[in-house]
Each structure stands twice: as C-alpha cells, then as structure tokens.
Amino acid sequence: EMKGELTEIAHAGDIADTLRAYKAGELLRIGVRDLIHSARLEQTQGELSDLAGAILATQLNHTQRKHRERHGEVKTPEGKPVGFAVLALGKFGGREMNYGSDLDVIFFYSADGQTLEGLPAVTYFAQLAQELTRTTATPTALGSLYELDSRLRPNGTKGPLALSLDYFKQYWKDYY
C-alpha cells in the first residue's frame, strides 16, 4: 500500500519534501500504535522496514530517471538495457528495523556495458548509487530520509560501490 501511495504522490519534479513528509506521517502512525501497545514488536519492525523499502524504491525510481536523462542509458554490447537493483541487508533486509536504523544495502547492476557516450557501467552505476545515497541522507527543512550504508559489500569500502552480476557469475564459475 505504501508503494502505491508514494507512486501516486511522487510524480512531481522534486520529491524530497514529499517523501520526508510522508515518512513523518507514517512514523507517527506506527509510533502511536507502538506506544499504545496495539502492535507487536515484529509488526512494528516490519512496518518500519516496509516504510523504508517503499521510500527507497520511490527515491530510486526518481533518481534513476534523472540520472538517465543526464547520462543516457547503459546497454550491453548486444544492445540490451542494463538493470540496477538495491539489495537490503542487516535489519533492513531482515525486516527488523528500529526507528533510528540506517539501511544496509548492496548495489547491483545486471551486466557490463556502457552508455552511448562511452561511460562504462561500473562508473555509471557507482555515480547512481552515490546520488541515491546523497539524496536520501541530505536533510531538508523536514529532515533526512535514511542513511544508506553500503560497507557490507564483499570488498567493503575497497571495492566498487556497485557490483556487476557478471563479476559474481565469473567468481562462482572459477570457485566451483
């Protein structure tokens, strides 16, 4: 339901305050139910996780659209579009979020490729991940959304910010 509501209200050009106001309203609703003990802990944690997921998905769609307008689209050498995904880890992925939890994530893209201007996928999607991280953490008059923490990726802060699934295919092929 949250994703549907956010999709409807987030068609505007700048969604920063829209998402922050929506988050505040939902946190109030969830918090009141928690305070008066009308929801179990697991339900509260699940709703907080669902809220984060819906907001992150909406912000990702918006950020991705703007990024594509500026830099074009990444395509494989065969001309297929390259997809991008965010994997939830930690309390976020386990649907055990608290009110002050950050979002542990890993950024993936589906295959290697480049834009028409020659920007490689690894750079394109690292920039997209940085922009998403920045837009969710940047405070406005209504506060910030979430801190995205991507340090749990396989090589920590030493590896690329966004990982190609081709890398993992090769890794598992070599491993087995």
Side-chain angles (χ1 to χ4, degrees):
E1 286 179 28
M2 290 178 193
K3 272 181 143 175
E5 287 177 4
L6 282 172
T7 300
E8 285 182 35
I9 63 176
H11 286 303
D14 182 19
I15 64 169
D17 284 336
T18 302
L19 291 179
R20 284 158 177 79
Y22 184 84
K23 178 186 177 190
E26 285 299 303
L27 284 176
L28 178 62
R29 179 188 63 77
I30 294 167
V32 167
R33 288 182 60 222
D34 189 16
L35 188 63
I36 63 171
H37 304 290
S38 69
R40 293 186 344 222
L41 175 62
E42 296 82 14
Q43 184 177 359
T44 299
Q45 290 175 324
E47 287 185 21
L48 290 169
S49 301
D50 291 342
L51 174 62
I55 287 174
L56 183 59
T58 303
Q59 183 65 61
L60 173 60
N61 288 338
H62 182 77
T63 304
Q64 209 166 9
R65 185 174 57 249
K66 291 184 125 206
H67 196 69
R68 196 177 309 118
E69 288 170 4
R70 279 194 307 274
H71 302 288
E73 186 175 23
V74 176
K75 294 195 176 189
T76 66
E78 298 80 29
K80 295 180 182 178
V82 176
F84 182 76
V86 180
L87 177 67
L89 302 171
K91 289 183 177 189
F92 180 35
R95 295 180 36 87
E96 299 175 341
M97 285 187 58
N98 299 311
Y99 293 99
S101 294
D102 64 357
L103 306 183
D104 293 319
V105 297
I106 296 181
F107 302 106
F108 289 102
Y109 56 98
S110 59
D112 290 321
Q114 63 182 26
T115 64
L116 284 176
E117 291 78 30
L119 184 64
V122 66
T123 304
Y124 179 94
F125 290 112
Q127 289 174 354
L128 176 60
Q130 287 172 339
E131 192 173 339
L132 179 63
T133 300
R134 188 173 43 258
T135 57
T136 58
T138 301
T140 69
L142 298 176
S144 61
L145 289 171
Y146 295 98
E147 294 289 331
L148 298 184
D149 184 352
S150 59
R151 292 176 295 172
L152 294 177
R153 60 190 187 271
N155 295 320
T157 57
K158 294 181 178 147
L161 184 56
L163 305 166
S164 168
L165 291 179
D166 287 345
Y167 166 82
F168 287 101
K169 289 176 191 173
Q170 186 62 40
Y171 174 80
W172 290 112
K173 179 182 164 195
D174 291 345
Y175 187 73
Y176 288 106

